[in-house]
Amino acid sequence: TRLAEDEHKAAAQRDLGISYGRLARVAEAEGDLQAARKYLEEELAIGQRLIELAPSSADARRSTAIVHYRLGAVYQELQDEEN
């Protein structure tokens, strides 16, 4: 059914977002903050799409909030590097 198909697509998107988050952690650990930023931006875009699909999903909102926090931290580190 369509509902099952949508749930499958959402689960695949969540998995992809988690993968981007993990790649960001690896990039951060290696000191590649530009790559970490790009991965987190991809994760954030997925999270925002998931919220659009399920606005009442507390999990999607929580995960997206965490990505916002992590992305802010990376931007701060990048700014610190410039100074």
Side-chain angles (χ1 to χ4, degrees), residues 3 8 10 17 21 32 34-35 41 47-48 52 60 65-66 68 71-72 74-75 78-79:
L3 180 59
H8 177 72
D32 189 349
Q34 290 294 341
E41 288 173 348
Q48 291 171 332
E52 288 173 9
I66 291 169
H68 273 284
L71 188 56
V74 167
Y75 277 121
L78 286 167
Q79 185 177 19

Side-chain angles (χ1 to χ4, degrees), residues 1 10 14 16 22 33 35 42 55 61 66 71 74-76:
T1 66
R14 272 191 303 276
L16 182 59
R22 289 177 179 162
L33 297 176
E42 290 291 336
R61 290 184 178 278
I66 291 169
L71 188 56
V74 167
Y75 277 121
Q76 183 66 51

